[in-house]
Amino acid sequence: MTRSILLACFYLNADTPGKKVGFYFAVQTGGSFDIDFAVTDPRNKVVLDGQKERQGDYVFTANYVGEYAFCFSNDMSTFAEKLIDFEIILEHEARPSYQKDHNQQPVSLSAMEESLFKISGSLTNIARTQKYFRTRENRNSATVLSTESRIFWFALLESAAIVAMAGLQVFVVRSFFKVKKGGV
């Protein structure tokens, strides 16, 4: 949760260049469900950034060894408390390196290894899809609760208006049949 915190940063250490970094975030509750974010590399150069984003799912290559910063900023909405679901993954894809020497045969993957890589990729996609649907469910739940509250208060106000109108009508009808003393 980011209350009055204007900037919250999280860090990932890339030990070798060329590794893939997966970055997922989604604003679960709060305000307009939006947040500013920035990802910087060890040289403090911006790799990714965005303003007023609701969610994001990015993969980029860590070209430098060192600490990557993943920062969220709530500058535009300091009064709204926000809950952010995020995940930062340093992906280790152990693929065989192919030889550039034309005399050697390239190392090939067995059918089992290739199937494992496909299954791993599919499971990653399923996990990301589940996170997306969880985010949608939370947002829609917040919308339903907000709408339910508005409907309750509108119905209460409408009921009070009907009771007041009925009382006013009784008063007006009684005044028609009221006889004034000293008159005709």
Side-chain angles (χ1 to χ4, degrees):
M1 290 233 189
T2 58
R3 277 186 194 221
S4 61
I5 299 172
L6 297 179
L7 184 68
C9 293
F10 304 90
Y11 301 93
L12 172 78
N13 190 27
D15 52 354
T16 57
K19 288 194 175 179
K20 299 288 184 187
V21 177
F23 173 53
Y24 165 82
F25 74 93
V27 180
Q28 297 290 335
T29 60
S32 298
F33 299 103
D34 58 353
I35 195 92
D36 297 342
F37 74 95
V39 178
T40 56
D41 65 11
R43 301 174 306 147
N44 288 329
K45 301 253 176 158
V46 175
V47 177
L48 296 169
D49 69 341
Q51 281 76 36
K52 295 186 179 183
E53 297 284 332
R54 292 177 170 223
Q55 68 184 43
D57 193 2
Y58 304 97
V59 176
F60 63 92
T61 303
N63 293 323
Y64 304 101
V65 174
E67 205 169 61
Y68 285 79
F70 299 82
C71 297
F72 296 101
S73 173
N74 196 21
D75 286 337
M76 76 285 200
S77 177
T78 56
F79 67 90
E81 182 178 298
K82 296 190 179 179
L83 175 66
I84 302 168
D85 177 25
F86 70 95
E87 181 178 31
I88 303 168
I89 299 173
L90 186 61
E91 297 178 357
H92 302 282
E93 290 186 3
R95 296 276 182 165
S97 59
Y98 294 105
Q99 303 294 329
K100 290 186 179 181
D101 187 9
H102 296 290
N103 296 335
Q104 287 185 332
Q105 287 285 348
V107 178
S108 63
L109 296 176
S110 70
M112 176 75 78
E113 290 172 325
E114 201 56 50
S115 294
L116 287 175
F117 281 125
K118 286 180 184 178
I119 290 171
S120 175
S122 296
L123 287 175
T124 302
N125 286 338
I126 289 170
R128 286 186 177 150
T129 303
Q130 284 179 330
K131 284 183 183 182
Y132 169 76
F133 284 125
R134 185 181 332 125
T135 300
R136 295 288 302 180
E137 179 183 5
N138 286 339
R139 283 190 197 148
N140 291 338
S141 175
T143 302
V144 166
L145 290 176
S146 171
T147 303
E148 181 182 355
S149 174
R150 288 183 204 158
I151 288 172
F152 171 76
W153 289 109
F154 181 75
L156 192 64
L157 180 67
E158 188 177 19
S159 297
I162 289 173
V163 169
M165 188 62 77
L168 183 65
Q169 286 177 350
V170 168
F171 176 74
V172 169
V173 169
R174 286 185 73 196
S175 70
F176 285 149
F177 294 106
K178 198 180 219 180
V179 176
K180 294 182 183 177
K181 293 186 179 181
V184 179

